[in-house]
């Protein structure tokens, strides 16, 4: 290349792999030119498949239906309008490019009709749901899925046509509509809109990440085995219900990110894309790479332009039709490598560039980012990627793939390891700070302590790892149980230090903000198809006699604290102090100083560390009684730095504080300290006694 890519200039360790990085960059340019040759270079105009394929009603009321099925020899539409029998009047005509088309009078199809395709091919036939079906429903008795004609007479009209997400910082509330209610049953879009959205707004989060939106036949898959990529899951309500939910979120200033699955598809042939025209390789690989070895699903062949057309159009569809504000792409690691990243340590750069990269998938993901930001320049894209592939969240022009953020998937693993393997006395600030800030300078991340992954049966949330069975017996206000007090204290500290060190965004899974006590177990044969654990018990946090309200209150307060500092995530993380012997960590971001004493049994009076000279007030204290703490510090006392001739020229002084064991405090600079001249002409900061303990610890 004429000019070296920025990613190579900024990271000299990538130089040995410059050929691979520059090669994938050129591959994207070539594919973009190929796909947009007839659209004036616009990927947005290319990604228009959903406006052509599928069922549409034309202006005169006539129906037109199209399906891409080059291997088919005959296709009929069947449904409630044919009593599910073959009717030659509903036969489709094959066009020259492998597309099948049918045109039908206005009164031949009606809103609410169920339908499928009966597809014939050499040596076989089968019923299939159209690839571009936008509404798919399941019969309660037979459990059979069918497409549904969905053209309501009075479709929902968005009140807010344009919305710009708040990403300074991005604070994500990860949620699942179906399990968002107290009841032992399915939650709906409408219930989420009226019951859960107000909670999220009150909690201070400015984005929700909705899981399981694309239709999936098995509820227990958490939405990750998608069958119908253009259909919003009907088990939660209608497409208009989902649009109303998103519109209301926007009115509350909350952006809505969709958890999109383009990494694989369900194997089901009756419900999904598998052998939709009788062939094995229309959308997927036709060889040994067809089936995912770990997920029991089918892998897309990103080397086919027809597959790119399908997937890119899918991105545009959700943005334009539903006003989603972006996507969290699931399973990106699986897409990036021929071996799906299974069993690889990714301990060096050589592991990324050993010839195992799936270049076609790299190209697709980069094009998807191009398209999404062409449709909506303010859209948010997040990669769920665990290998650490360099450049994933770097701009394309700099040599990257164009995601806005990558998930910091190592952080929850780190916290699990700390809780499981380390004694409290071995929680070292140097390790904590390094883990939370160890990231590529040119990539923004979404940090999180735990997501839905840690809440599933077979795993444990942080609160359950810390407190376990004691949660069932000792969460009443006034019940002073040592295990619970330790767990609550660490829960608050873990969440605060993770949020305080972000360089992009922060994510929380619904219910974890107040320490939801139960795991997630979807209805299945093994639990008698019970919904007991596929719900959220909001009554726990609403009850005044339980301690969950304390954890929720602290979460609200820490979210509010960082939200008040505009562009918090972009401020430098300036480490002021870390001492493993004391287990004390302090760092500064803007006017805020975060101080943590991780020691389980050592409190410090007049503990000093260097900080910008000035006057500070306490704006958040994890030990505050309103957060379930002991109230050992008088938070009304202001803290003044103590002058030191060695450090005064640098504008710093000693900030001395009372640090109770296993607590965190956030200070805000009220004003810098003015300098005054001493008799000897030295600069000196006026002093004052540091904050003192409010009462004696037990």
């Amino acid at each position: 290349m004429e000019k070296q890519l920025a990613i190579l200039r900024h990271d000299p360790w990538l130089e040995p792999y410059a050929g691979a990085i520059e090669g994938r960059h050129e591959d994207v340019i070539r594919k973009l030119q190929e796909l947009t040759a007839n659209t004036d270079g616009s990927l947005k105009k290319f990604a228009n498949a959903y406006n052509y394929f599928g069922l549409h009603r034309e202006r005169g009321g006539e129906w037109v239906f199209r399906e891409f099925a080059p291997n088919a020899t005959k296709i009929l539409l069947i449904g409630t309008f044919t009593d599910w029998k073959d009717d030659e009047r509903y036969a489709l005509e094959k066009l020259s490019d492998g597309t099948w088309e049918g045109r039908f009078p206005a009164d031949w199809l009606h809103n609410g009709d169920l339908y499928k395709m009966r597809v014939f091919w050499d040596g076989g036939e089968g019923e299939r749901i159209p690839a571009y079906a936008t509404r798919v429903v399941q019969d309660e008795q037979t459990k059979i899925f069918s497409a549904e004609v969905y053209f309501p007479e009075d479709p929902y009209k968005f009140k807010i046509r344009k919305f710009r997400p708040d990403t300074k910082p991005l604070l994500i509330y990860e949620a699942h509509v179906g399990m968002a209610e107290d009841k032992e049953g399915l939650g709906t879009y409408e219930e989420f809109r009226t019951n859960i959205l107000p909670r999220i707004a009150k909690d201070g989060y400015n984005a929700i990440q909705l899981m399981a939106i694309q239709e999936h036949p098995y509820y227990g898959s958490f939405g990750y085995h998608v069958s119908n990529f253009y259909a919003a899951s009907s088990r939660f309500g209608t497409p208009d219900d989902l649009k109303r939910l998103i519109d209301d979120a926007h009115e509350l200033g909350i952006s809505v990110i969709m958890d999109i699955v383009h990494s694989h598809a369900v194997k089901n042939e009756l419900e999904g894309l598998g052998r939709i025209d009788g062939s094995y390789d229309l959308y997927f690989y036709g060889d040994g790479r067809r089936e995912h070895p770990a997920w029991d699903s089918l892998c897309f062949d990103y080397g086919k332009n027809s597959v790119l057309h399908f997937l890119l159009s899918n991105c545009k569809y959700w943005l334009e039709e539903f006003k989603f504000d972006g996507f969290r792409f699931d399973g990106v690691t699986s897409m990036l490598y021929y071996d799906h990243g299974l069993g690889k340590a990714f301990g060096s750069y050589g592991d990324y560039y050993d010839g195992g990269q799936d270049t076609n998938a790299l190209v697709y993901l980069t094009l998807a980012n191009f398209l999404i930001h062409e449709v909506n320049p303010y859209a948010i894209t997040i990669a769920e990627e665990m290998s650490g592939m360099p450049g994933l969240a770097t701009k394309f022009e700099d040599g990257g793939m164009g995601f806005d953020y990558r998930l910091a998937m190592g952080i929850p693993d780190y916290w699990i390891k700390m809780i499981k393997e380390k004694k409290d006395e071995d929680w070292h600030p140097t390790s904590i700070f390094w883990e939370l800030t160890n990231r590529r300078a040119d990539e923004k991340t979404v940090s999180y302590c735990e997501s839905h992954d840690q809440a599933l049966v077979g795993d444990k949330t942080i609160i359950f790892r810390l407190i376990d069975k004691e949660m069932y017996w000792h969460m009443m206000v006034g019940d002073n149980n040592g295990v619970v007090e330790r767990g609550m204290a660490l829960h608050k500290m873990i969440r605060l230090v993770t949020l305080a060190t972000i360089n992009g965004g922060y994510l929380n899974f619904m219910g974890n903000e107040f320490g939801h006590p139960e795991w997630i177990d979807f209805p299945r044969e093994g639990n008698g198809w019970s919904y007991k654990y596929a719900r959220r018990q909001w009554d726990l946090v609403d009850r005044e006699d339980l301690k969950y309200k304390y954890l929720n209150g602290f979460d609200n307060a820490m979210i509010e604290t960082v939200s008040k500092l505009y562009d918090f995530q972009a401020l430098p993380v300036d480490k002021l102090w870390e001492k493993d012997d004391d287990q004390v960590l302090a760092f500064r971001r803007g006017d805020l100083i975060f101080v943590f004493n991780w020691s389980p049994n050592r409190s410090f009076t007049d503990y000093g560390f260097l900080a910008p000279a000035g006057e500070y007030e306490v704006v958040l204290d994890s030990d505050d009684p309103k957060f379930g703490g002991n109230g050992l510090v008088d938070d009304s006392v202001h803290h003044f730095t103590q002058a030191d001739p060695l450090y005064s020229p640098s504008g710093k002084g000693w900030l001395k504080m009372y640090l109770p064991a296993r607590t965190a405090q956030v200070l805000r600079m009220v004003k810098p300290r003015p300098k005054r001249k001493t008799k000897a002409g030295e600069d000196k900061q006026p002093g004052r006694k540091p904050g003192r303990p409010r009462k004696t610890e037990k």
Side-chain angles (χ1 to χ4, degrees):
M1 302 183 68
E2 292 183 7
K3 184 179 179 181
Q4 189 181 46
L5 296 169
I7 191 174
L8 298 173
R9 295 199 305 272
H10 296 159
D11 188 348
W13 293 99
L14 285 174
E15 184 59 37
Y17 314 103
I21 294 171
E22 291 170 347
R24 78 184 185 197
H25 189 83
E26 294 295 335
D27 287 337
V28 172
I29 293 173
R30 282 193 294 270
K31 182 57 69 173
L32 179 63
Q33 292 172 342
E34 178 186 343
L35 297 181
T36 62
N38 298 319
T39 60
D40 300 322
S42 171
L43 206 54
K44 180 179 177 180
K45 292 180 181 178
F46 167 80
N48 217 24
Y50 64 93
N51 284 322
Y52 180 75
F53 293 109
L55 182 66
H56 301 277
R57 193 164 195 170
E58 301 198 329
R59 287 187 177 181
E62 179 187 44
W63 299 94
V64 59
F65 175 84
R66 299 185 188 93
E67 183 76 20
F68 182 63
N71 191 58
T73 57
K74 182 179 180 179
I75 300 180
L76 300 169
L77 283 191
I78 59 172
T80 50
F81 44 85
T82 68
D83 199 24
W84 295 105
K85 298 176 182 177
D86 290 356
D87 186 334
E88 292 296 327
R89 295 179 303 164
Y90 290 88
L92 307 184
E93 176 186 358
K94 188 172 186 179
L95 307 181
S96 58
D97 62 351
T99 298
W100 293 77
E101 179 183 88
R103 294 182 176 273
F104 313 108
D107 60 351
W108 282 25
L109 293 169
H110 304 87
N111 189 48
D113 281 344
L114 303 181
Y115 70 100
K116 292 183 180 181
M117 303 182 299
R118 188 184 301 283
V119 183
F120 299 82
W121 59 85
D122 289 339
E125 64 177 82
E127 293 183 359
R128 298 289 187 264
I129 294 176
Y132 290 83
T134 56
R135 172 78 169 161
V136 175
V137 298
Q138 185 179 27
D139 185 276
E140 291 186 7
Q141 279 71 44
T142 66
K143 305 302 180 184
I144 294 174
F145 285 86
S146 304
E148 181 182 54
V149 178
Y150 187 76
F151 288 86
E153 291 297 323
D154 186 23
Y156 185 77
K157 295 179 177 62
F158 285 97
K159 293 170 289 186
I160 298 179
R161 304 292 300 176
K162 298 289 184 182
F163 177 80
R164 183 168 180 173
D166 179 5
T167 58
K168 299 182 182 295
L170 177 64
L171 303 167
I172 304 173
Y173 196 89
E174 184 185 31
H176 184 286
V177 169
M179 56 166 286
E181 297 299 314
D182 275 306
K183 65 182 180 182
E184 293 187 26
L186 277 171
T188 66
Y189 298 125
E190 184 62 15
E191 288 172 326
F192 190 95
R193 181 181 73 86
T194 57
N195 299 335
I196 310 305
L197 267 182
R199 288 184 180 272
I200 298 170
K202 186 178 179 181
D203 285 346
Y205 290 86
N206 56 27
I208 53 176
Q209 181 176 297
L210 290 182
M211 307 173 64
I213 294 299
Q214 294 167 295
E215 191 60 86
H216 46 290
Y218 179 45
Y219 185 49
S221 75
F222 228 141
Y224 292 119
H225 276 200
V226 174
S227 52
N228 313 107
F229 287 77
Y230 285 83
S233 182
S234 62
R235 53 172 57 88
F236 309 136
T238 69
D240 278 9
D241 291 339
L242 176 56
K243 291 176 180 179
R244 189 175 291 107
L245 186 166
I246 294 170
D247 212 15
D248 273 21
H250 288 166
E251 277 199 310
L252 292 169
I254 298 172
S255 55
V256 187
I257 301 165
M258 178 176 166
D259 200 345
I260 199 167
V261 183
H262 282 180
S263 48
H264 62 137
V266 73
K267 288 170 66 174
N268 304 33
E269 295 179 0
L270 293 180
E271 292 88 8
L273 298 174
R275 298 194 70 199
I276 199 167
D277 69 348
S279 65
Y280 288 91
D281 61 350
L282 181 60
Y283 289 99
F284 312 106
Y285 291 105
D287 53 19
R289 296 185 58 200
R290 186 172 189 267
E291 296 191 15
H292 197 291
W295 295 346
D296 192 33
S297 54
L298 302 180
C299 299
F300 285 106
D301 183 351
Y302 305 103
K304 291 184 175 180
N305 286 355
S306 57
V307 173
L308 297 181
H309 199 206
F310 178 82
L311 294 176
L312 290 171
S313 298
N314 192 237
C315 295
K316 180 184 171 187
Y317 169 77
W318 292 108
L319 292 172
E320 294 211 324
E321 294 297 312
F322 287 86
K323 307 299 180 188
F324 276 99
D325 299 294
F327 304 100
R328 177 263 202 189
F329 278 77
D330 179 68
V332 170
T333 304
S334 176
M335 300 170 69
L336 293 179
Y337 308 98
Y338 292 127
D339 61 6
H340 306 293
L342 299 172
K344 292 185 73 170
F346 295 104
S348 68
Y349 280 173
D351 291 336
Y352 303 115
Y353 307 105
D354 59 2
Q357 284 186 331
D358 188 338
T359 303
N360 292 330
L362 287 164
V363 169
Y364 164 65
L365 289 169
T366 309
L367 292 177
N369 278 291
F370 274 167
L371 169 71
I372 292 163
H373 293 107
E374 183 182 349
V375 174
N376 179 2
Y378 304 111
I380 299 162
T381 59
I382 305 168
E384 190 242 9
E385 206 282 312
M386 60 181 294
S387 78
M389 165 74 76
L392 193 68
T394 303
K395 294 179 181 179
F396 173 73
E397 53 267 33
D398 292 337
M401 295 169 60
F403 281 97
D404 296 308
Y405 306 87
R406 69 185 313 149
L407 284 182
M409 299 185 72
I411 293 178
D413 291 342
Y414 173 79
W415 287 123
I416 290 171
K417 186 174 182 179
M418 289 284 283
I419 296 170
K420 286 177 62 176
E421 301 178 7
K422 299 288 186 181
K423 295 185 300 182
D424 288 5
E425 291 81 2
D426 294 333
W427 284 39
H428 293 155
T430 53
S431 170
I432 293 170
F433 188 81
W434 186 88
E435 183 65 39
L436 296 179
T437 58
N438 177 33
R439 54 211 173 202
R440 297 182 64 82
D442 57 351
E443 297 190 66
K444 292 185 294 185
T445 60
V446 174
S447 300
Y448 61 107
C449 314
E450 51 190 344
S451 68
H452 69 273
D453 286 329
Q454 287 73 42
L456 290 167
V457 166
D459 207 336
K460 288 184 179 181
T461 59
I462 285 176
I463 198 69
F464 216 78
R465 287 185 185 279
L466 291 168
I467 302 179
D468 208 77
K469 63 182 184 299
E470 302 300 318
M471 291 196 74
Y472 296 119
W473 311 106
H474 300 289
M475 288 297 284
M476 295 290 293
V477 172
D479 185 341
N480 299 318
N481 177 275
V483 173
V484 171
E485 289 185 3
R486 168 187 177 268
M488 289 180 61
L490 287 176
H491 190 267
K492 289 180 284 186
M493 295 178 73
I494 287 169
R495 298 175 74 80
L496 177 61
V497 73
T498 304
L499 170 62
T501 49
I502 62 173
N503 79 328
Y506 174 77
L507 178 142
N508 163 67
F509 178 67
M510 65 176 183
N512 287 351
E513 70 276 9
F514 66 85
H516 196 284
E518 302 287 11
W519 52 81
I520 300 165
D521 190 11
F522 283 99
R524 55 186 173 85
E525 188 175 1
N527 64 17
W529 302 103
S530 170
Y531 284 89
K532 182 178 181 180
Y533 297 110
R535 62 192 181 106
R536 297 283 90 175
Q537 299 178 61
W538 301 108
D539 62 306
L540 296 177
V541 71
D542 293 338
R543 285 175 55 176
E544 288 296 320
D545 60 335
L546 295 179
K547 296 180 179 179
Y548 299 101
K549 66 177 183 180
Y550 295 142
L551 297 179
N552 190 72
F554 182 78
D555 196 86
N556 292 175
M558 73 176 196
I559 291 292
E560 181 183 17
T561 299
V562 302
S563 297
K564 285 181 175 179
L565 195 54
Y566 179 76
D567 227 6
F568 173 84
Q569 80 294 337
L571 297 171
V573 186
D574 181 14
K575 181 169 60 180
L576 302 177
W577 190 266
E578 58 178 5
K579 197 168 189 297
D580 286 347
D581 291 348
D582 297 336
Q583 294 182 265
V584 173
L585 171 67
F587 56 87
R588 179 175 69 101
R589 301 199 77 169
D591 289 339
L592 297 180
I593 292 179
F594 298 83
V595 189
F596 299 83
N597 178 9
W598 296 95
S599 174
N601 49 32
R602 297 178 65 196
S603 297
F604 301 96
T605 301
D606 291 351
Y607 192 96
F609 57 89
L610 288 168
E615 176 186 350
Y616 293 86
E617 63 178 347
V618 178
V619 294
L620 184 61
D621 175 10
S622 70
D623 194 49
D624 194 308
K626 66 184 177 183
F627 305 137
N630 296 306
L632 297 175
V633 175
D634 185 351
D635 294 336
S636 66
V637 172
H638 281 212
H639 300 265
F640 296 81
T641 53
Q642 304 287 303
D644 185 324
L646 288 176
Y647 300 102
S648 292
S650 65
K652 290 186 176 182
W654 289 97
L655 190 60
K656 295 188 176 182
M657 301 176 59
Y658 174 52
L659 304 180
R662 208 182 270 140
T663 64
Q665 298 176 57
V666 183
L667 308 178
R668 184 178 68 85
M669 180 181 280
V670 178
K671 56 185 176 181
R673 295 310 308 274
K675 296 179 180 180
R676 62 184 176 86
K677 299 290 185 179
T678 66
K679 291 180 180 179
E682 299 172 320
D683 287 335
K684 185 175 180 181
Q685 296 289 347
R688 180 176 171 178
K689 290 183 179 180
R692 60 192 181 279
R694 174 181 288 168
K695 59 185 179 183
T696 305
E697 292 182 75
K698 296 179 182 178

